[in-house]
Amino acid sequence: MRQAFSDALVKLATQDPNVLLLTGDHGYALFDAFRRECPTQYINAGVAEQNMVGMAAGLARLGYRPFVYGLSAFVPVRVVEQIKLDIAHDQLPVVLLGDGAGFVYSHLGTSHQSTEDIACVRAIPHLAVYSPADRFEMTRCMELAYARKGAVYLRMGKADRGGVHTQMPAPDLQGGLCQVRLGKAGGPAFLATGSMVCTARQLADTQVPEASVWSVSCLKPLQQDRLVSILRASSRVVTFEEHDVAGGLGSLVTETACEHWPTRVLRIGVQDRFSECCGTYDYLLKEHGLDLASLTPRVHRFLKGE
Amino acid sequence: MSDSRASSHAYPVGRLRRTVLEMAYAGSTVHIGCAFSIIELLAVLYRRFLRYPDNHPDAEGRDFLVLSKGHGVMAQYACMVERGWLGPEDVSNYFKDGSHLKGLSDSRVPGLEVTSGSLGHGFSVGVGMAMGALRRGTDQKVYAVVGDGEINEGPIWEGALVAAHHGLHNLMLIVDKNGFQAMGTTDEVLALGDLDAKLASFGFDTVTVNGHDEAAIEAAITTLWQRPGSKPKALIANTVKGKGVSFMENDNRWHYTRLDAARYAAALAEVDSGVTS
């Protein structure tokens, strides 16, 4: 997935000299190819994220296409106000890349983990929010972000969870809602985003064969009609995200369900808490109840109507 | 239409202060002191330095005036009236329901480059504009006006590092050093120390000037642009908050106070006659 990101960025920058990469002194080896292929389009803005995002707005005003890279704990969380005022307000074509989202930096503790980033930016007008699940979705999300000519937050989570798609999905990612597993008519729907799509599909494959599985790669704008049609066609709905259940995918789905098709929804995600301990990525998923073994009984109980 | 106003349109600064008073009274609004301290600075910029091809506020290739201290926006509105970008109705309807002119700078208004008021934003945008203009090879210049209270904000210093590191010699930071911020003097709230030395140590070419002496401001800006080398520029303007109306000068209540009819009349009389200097 990270290779797909690097390839997509180099391709865009090679084709369009207005594409600039700004980094807040992060992304050590990730940008080797970019620095080799497009050295003059690479700007290390220093450990100064607030200024970097404002500066990206200024560059965009001169016709540049800045891609602003940081860890998601910093871009967007540290710079929410710069995104709101300097970029989104003027609908400037700036792509904000938040890497390491969720618990990727599992050993480093709260400062480098982000389970509130989607919630922080979802209510900012004009800002699109993408959350790809695998390398194919990453490639498409980068293409969509460039084509959008508006502000985008692209969330980059755990990158080595394996493929969700077997081939490149449609250019529009089916409006941000790709079905990645067929289920039984009238069965439950699993709606997942980013790193949790693999988990949702694994659960369906091994425990809940009647469930359909959907990857929500574009949380905003989302084709609401498609979401409503999934809600209508499903007995129950489970959402999966490596993010707090407040303000992320679970919120998005329940908001839509309440207004358009009231449905019982179980939200699997972080439950309003910081990580207590450190450990491997898998360890932290377990601490938060997001590993397959921990979430399986919850989903079973919910689907049984308990 | 040629851009004649930038070089020859002479109007007394008292007229700008009158417009500010008219807006403040019409809108029953605050921040008069913040606007009055930058009147001469903006007047000199609009008359002598800012290039707007065809006098169009959104013209391609224009210079950028970034009012990072958005609280002084009424001073900029007054200059925009002189340019013909705003009309008498914009002044008389200030703050009426549905008005497009707000109490702080809003980039959707042609002529205002940034949305500011939350402080420490505009300067960084200006740094990006300056970098973009240099990359493009244009001769556009960027003037970023900040308050001395505003530079409490961290991004100002982040941007200062970046501006010097990247040799943004087309960028001029203008500090409205009126000595006050919202809750007191800058010395009381968060002392700046030797601002000239601080900015010089960050890698700026600096000049300090009386921010109400139009000829001195013009000379200082000219001097800064003529300095060789790649340093960004900083103009430190010693100013008086509330300048131009005796009962407002150095009285920080005029950050917040609204005009009543009597004080409106008294203030108008002073700015029309130019009794203070």
Side-chain angles (χ1 to χ4, degrees), chain A residues 190-266:
Chain A
F190 291 175
L191 292 157
T193 192
S195 60
M196 293 299 285
V197 180
C198 278
T199 308
R201 195 173 65 179
Q202 214 177 341
L203 176 63
D205 286 345
T206 59
Q207 309 268 345
V208 193
E210 65 275 23
S212 61
V213 181
W214 305 77
S215 174
V216 187
S217 53
C218 304
L219 287 97
K220 186 186 171 185
L222 181 73
Q223 283 192 6
Q224 198 169 59
D225 292 353
R226 270 174 63 74
L227 177 56
V228 173
S229 70
I230 294 168
L231 297 172
R232 291 175 72 111
S234 308
S235 56
R236 292 194 172 205
V237 172
V238 184
T239 62
F240 301 76
E241 61 194 312
E242 196 177 317
H243 183 276
D244 203 281
V245 291
L249 176 64
S251 287
L252 190 156
V253 170
T254 50
E255 288 157 17
T256 305
C258 283
E259 282 193 349
H260 298 281
W261 193 258
T263 308
R264 286 292 307 278
V265 179
L266 172 66

Side-chain angles (χ1 to χ4, degrees), chain B residues 14-24 77-78 81-82 91:
Chain B
R15 206 158 82 193
L16 298 175
R17 289 200 166 85
R18 168 172 262 276
T19 302
V20 169
L21 289 170
E22 288 171 352
M23 295 186 87
Y77 293 148
V81 168
E82 300 296 336
V91 174

Side-chain angles (χ1 to χ4, degrees), chain A residues 100-118:
Chain A
F103 301 118
V104 169
Y105 294 98
S106 59
H107 288 98
L108 298 186
T110 302
S111 81
H112 278 53
Q113 295 167 12
S114 65
T115 54
E116 68 293 301
D117 51 308
I118 297 171

Side-chain angles (χ1 to χ4, degrees), chain A:
Chain A
M1 188 157 137
R2 292 168 73 78
Q3 188 61 46
F5 163 72
S6 174
D7 291 347
L9 192 60
V10 170
K11 186 178 173 192
L12 289 171
T14 307
Q15 290 170 350
D16 182 354
N18 287 318
V19 168
L20 301 176
L21 170 64
L22 280 70
T23 173
D25 205 26
H26 274 129
Y28 182 58
L30 181 61
F31 299 130
D32 283 353
F34 191 96
R35 295 173 74 173
R36 191 172 56 245
E37 302 292 325
C38 316
T40 62
Q41 289 158 266
Y42 172 84
I43 300 168
N44 187 337
V47 191
E49 293 88 356
Q50 296 175 86
N51 180 68
M52 171 171 66
V53 174
M55 198 165 79
L59 287 162
R61 300 284 291 273
L62 271 288
Y64 287 100
R65 302 294 308 271
F67 284 67
V68 181
Y69 177 88
L71 304 191
S72 60
F74 313 133
V75 177
V77 176
R78 189 185 179 106
V79 294
V80 165
E81 197 190 53
Q82 276 77 14
I83 294 170
K84 167 189 162 188
L85 286 180
D86 303 341
I87 292 174
H89 183 264
D90 291 339
Q91 304 185 50
L92 293 174
V94 177
V95 181
L96 302 143
L97 305 156
D99 201 0
F103 301 118
V104 169
Y105 294 98
S106 59
H107 288 98
L108 298 186
T110 302
S111 81
H112 278 53
Q113 295 167 12
S114 65
T115 54
E116 68 293 301
D117 51 308
I118 297 171
C120 286
V121 300
R122 245 188 83 211
I124 297 177
H126 307 307
L127 182 73
V129 180
Y130 299 164
S131 171
D134 70 358
R135 62 196 170 100
F136 294 117
E137 289 192 3
M138 171 61 82
T139 301
R140 289 298 192 219
C141 282
M142 287 291 283
E143 292 167 0
L144 287 170
Y146 176 76
R148 182 175 157 78
K149 297 184 175 154
V152 176
Y153 168 50
L154 199 163
R155 183 182 211 240
M156 300 164 64
K158 187 68 173 169
D160 56 358
R161 304 277 286 172
V164 167
H165 300 272
T166 52
Q167 58 185 8
M168 195 64 86
D172 71 344
L173 287 168
Q174 298 175 45
L177 259 171
C178 283
Q179 184 160 16
V180 298
R181 184 184 190 278
L182 293 171
K184 193 176 143 194
F190 291 175
L191 292 157
T193 192
S195 60
M196 293 299 285
V197 180
C198 278
T199 308
R201 195 173 65 179
Q202 214 177 341
L203 176 63
D205 286 345
T206 59
Q207 309 268 345
V208 193
E210 65 275 23
S212 61
V213 181
W214 305 77
S215 174
V216 187
S217 53
C218 304
L219 287 97
K220 186 186 171 185
L222 181 73
Q223 283 192 6
Q224 198 169 59
D225 292 353
R226 270 174 63 74
L227 177 56
V228 173
S229 70
I230 294 168
L231 297 172
R232 291 175 72 111
S234 308
S235 56
R236 292 194 172 205
V237 172
V238 184
T239 62
F240 301 76
E241 61 194 312
E242 196 177 317
H243 183 276
D244 203 281
V245 291
L249 176 64
S251 287
L252 190 156
V253 170
T254 50
E255 288 157 17
T256 305
C258 283
E259 282 193 349
H260 298 281
W261 193 258
T263 308
R264 286 292 307 278
V265 179
L266 172 66
R267 296 175 299 158
I268 300 287
V270 176
Q271 302 287 332
D272 194 24
R273 64 189 291 279
F274 294 114
S275 300
E276 190 68 31
C277 302
C278 82
T280 62
Y281 175 74
D282 287 338
Y283 173 85
L284 270 200
L285 286 185
K286 188 170 183 196
E287 184 190 302
H288 287 273
L290 299 182
D291 62 313
L292 188 61
S294 303
L295 61 83
T296 298
R298 287 188 66 201
V299 174
H300 274 312
R301 284 198 301 275
F302 171 72
L303 294 178
K304 279 188 210 156
E306 291 174 13

Side-chain angles (χ1 to χ4, degrees), chain B residues 207-220:
Chain B
V207 168
T208 297
V209 71
N210 174 349
H212 299 298
D213 181 336
E214 296 164 65
I217 294 167
E218 183 176 335

